[in-house]
């Protein structure tokens, strides 16, 4: 074996040890299953307007809002917390945007105004979570559960209990527009993921977030401002959830209070776990969370494509996620390795 072969093999082995490796494998297997049913499943065509059209493009578009909330969830979980309110924040963000656009008209300035208002309101909701966790001292589960329940009520107050629609081409372009044939919504999500990843990994911020997740007391003694960091991650999580709400509502220019963001907090948590972030805190992986979001979107599309009944869909998803998490488990993999290397002691040893 040449040195180049050894280097390549070493790279492959190192990559295979990453927890999100199995997420990539799962995406490939799901696509293969879909190909077996329809050999043209992965076909991508160019429409008359020059846009790329196909199932893969639909998966990328569906993954964008999940990527947003998964990245925010990733940072929150790294501190040892959890955010159950992201789905409700999406509904509030959609309600704010649609109500604003319904009265502000269809100009480009109105679209930017709606985006700014969404960021402000969703950041404020994240601030509430940070306040309850870091200042009041409530458990993150309880704090975000409060906003999870209250958020949809707030969205109903904003819209008067009605599904609100609006017309604004610039705002609609965010979800349905294309750049170089690719969905704008996915490009924006990818840019945000890259920016957040660079900020937390190219600075000491990521290390400090992991430090308070591993040992908050030791981090405080080392001079880490735990309270400020908790405020920051919950505000960022709220803003990213608000952006996800924009992605979800801009595609149809209507906010459905009861459905927008419904149970997406569960998908975000699954994406984070698939990506290799420990729910115990102290470790996070932004790129892994993005891959987990792509897997969730692929799985959702596969369920629909295979015609799995709506009543069996949760069980179908649960089985795949459980198998994937078992494959990622270091304890399970070590057990398999030991079973392979344990000698056969059942054979009788004959003395010489």
């Amino acid at each position: 074996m040449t040195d180049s072969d050894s280097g390549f093999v070493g790279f492959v082995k190192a990559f295979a040890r990453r927890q999100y490796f199995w997420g990539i494998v799962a995406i490939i297997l799901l696509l293969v299953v879909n190909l077996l049913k329809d050999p043209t499943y992965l076909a991508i065509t160019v429409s008359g307007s020059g846009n790329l059209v196909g199932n893969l493009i639909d998966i990328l578009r569906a993954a964008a809002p999940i990527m947003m909330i998964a990245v925010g969830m990733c940072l929150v979980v790294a501190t040892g917390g959890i955010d159950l309110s992201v789905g409700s924040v999406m509904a509030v963000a959609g309600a704010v945007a649609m109500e604003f656009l319904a009265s502000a008209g269809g100009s480009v300035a109105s679209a930017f105004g709606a985006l700014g208002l969404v960021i402000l309101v969703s950041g404020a909701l994240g601030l509430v979570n940070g306040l309850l966790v870091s200042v009041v001292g409530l458990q993150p589960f309880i704090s975000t559960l409060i906003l999870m329940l209250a958020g949809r009520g707030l969205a109903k107050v904003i819209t008067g209990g009605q599904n609100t629609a609006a017309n604004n081409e610039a705002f609609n372009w965010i979800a349905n527009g294309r750049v170089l044939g690719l969905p704008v919504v996915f490009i924006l999500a990818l840019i945000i993921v890259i920016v957040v990843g660079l900020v937390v990994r190219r600075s000491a911020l990521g290390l400090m977030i992991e430090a308070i997740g591993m040992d908050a007391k030791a981090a405080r003694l080392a001079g880490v401002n735990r309270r400020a960091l908790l405020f920051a991650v919950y505000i960022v999580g709220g803003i990213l959830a608000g952006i996800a709400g924009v992605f979800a509502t801009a595609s149809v220019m209507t906010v459905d209070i009861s459905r927008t963001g419904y149970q997406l907090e569960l998908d975000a948590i699954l994406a984070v776990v698939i990506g290799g972030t420990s729910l115990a805190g102290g470790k996070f992986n932004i790129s892994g969370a993005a891959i987990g979001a792509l897997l969730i979107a692929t799985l959702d599309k596969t369920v629909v494509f295979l015609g799995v009944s709506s009543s069996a869909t949760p069980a179908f998803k649960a089985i795949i996620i459980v198998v994937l998490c078992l494959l990622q488990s270091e304890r399970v993999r070590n057990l398999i390795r030991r079973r392979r290397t344990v000698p056969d002691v059942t054979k009788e040893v004959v003395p010489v």
Side-chain angles (χ1 to χ4, degrees):
M1 180 181 293
T2 65
D3 292 338
S4 60
D5 291 336
S6 178
F8 176 74
V9 172
F11 169 77
V12 172
K13 288 183 178 179
F15 181 71
R17 284 194 292 268
R18 296 180 179 272
Q19 283 191 293
Y20 61 74
F21 168 78
W22 292 105
I24 296 175
V25 172
I27 292 173
I28 295 173
L29 290 177
L30 288 173
L31 294 177
V32 169
V33 169
N34 293 334
L35 273 175
L36 293 176
K37 182 178 180 181
D38 182 3
T40 65
Y41 185 83
L42 298 182
I44 297 178
T45 58
V46 181
S47 65
S49 57
N51 295 325
L52 300 178
V53 179
N55 291 306
L56 286 180
I57 304 301
D58 293 338
I59 290 174
L60 295 181
R61 183 188 293 108
I66 305 175
M67 287 173 66
M68 290 294 89
I69 57 176
V71 169
M73 185 74 72
C74 187
L75 298 177
V76 171
V77 168
T79 66
I82 197 77
D83 190 351
L84 301 178
S85 67
V86 289
S88 296
V89 173
M90 287 178 64
V92 173
V96 168
M98 290 300 104
E99 283 292 326
F100 179 84
L101 292 174
S103 59
S107 65
V108 175
S110 298
F112 279 106
L115 283 174
L117 191 58
V118 163
I119 291 173
L120 182 63
V121 171
S122 56
L125 294 176
L127 178 64
V128 171
N129 282 333
L131 180 67
L132 293 176
V133 173
S134 65
V135 178
V136 179
L138 292 179
Q139 290 291 329
F141 184 91
I142 300 300
S143 302
T144 57
L145 181 62
I146 292 171
L147 188 56
M148 175 186 176
L149 299 175
R152 294 196 182 273
L154 177 60
K156 289 181 180 180
V157 171
I158 294 172
T159 62
Q162 303 296 321
N163 294 340
T164 303
N167 291 313
N168 188 293
E169 292 185 6
F171 198 82
N172 181 259
W173 181 81
I174 295 174
N176 296 327
R178 303 294 180 97
V179 172
L180 300 177
L182 294 174
V184 170
V185 65
F186 178 74
I187 294 175
L188 291 175
L190 188 61
I191 291 173
I192 293 174
V193 169
I194 292 173
V195 169
V196 172
L198 289 176
V199 169
V200 297
R201 285 308 185 190
R202 299 295 181 180
S203 69
L205 182 60
L207 293 176
M208 290 189 291
I209 290 174
E210 289 180 331
I212 64 175
M214 287 186 287
D215 192 330
K217 184 177 180 180
R220 181 177 59 83
L221 294 175
V224 176
N225 191 334
R226 177 177 178 271
R227 179 172 295 180
L229 283 175
L230 287 175
F231 269 114
V233 296
Y234 280 102
I235 290 173
V236 170
I239 291 174
L240 292 178
I243 295 173
V246 169
F247 290 168
T249 55
S251 59
V252 293
M253 293 303 293
T254 302
V255 59
D256 185 342
I257 301 303
S258 61
R259 300 300 305 174
T260 299
Y262 179 67
Q263 291 189 345
L264 279 188
E265 57 276 351
L266 303 181
D267 285 345
I269 295 171
L270 288 175
V272 165
V273 172
I274 290 168
T277 297
S278 171
L279 289 180
K283 175 185 176 183
F284 70 93
N285 192 317
I286 297 292
S287 57
I291 291 171
L294 284 171
L295 173 59
I296 296 297
T298 305
L299 181 55
D300 288 338
K301 292 293 183 181
T302 300
V303 166
V304 175
F305 184 72
L306 296 181
V308 177
S309 66
S310 58
S311 58
T313 295
F316 181 84
K317 291 180 65 175
I319 291 172
I320 293 178
I321 297 299
V322 167
V323 171
L324 184 61
C325 290
L326 288 175
L327 289 173
Q328 287 181 321
S329 171
E330 191 66 30
R331 181 177 298 179
V332 172
R333 286 185 288 184
N334 289 337
L335 180 61
I336 294 174
R337 293 193 195 103
R338 286 198 297 268
R339 290 181 65 86
R340 287 177 177 176
T341 57
V342 169
D344 188 357
V345 296
T346 59
K347 295 181 180 179
E348 182 180 356
V349 178
V350 179
V352 178

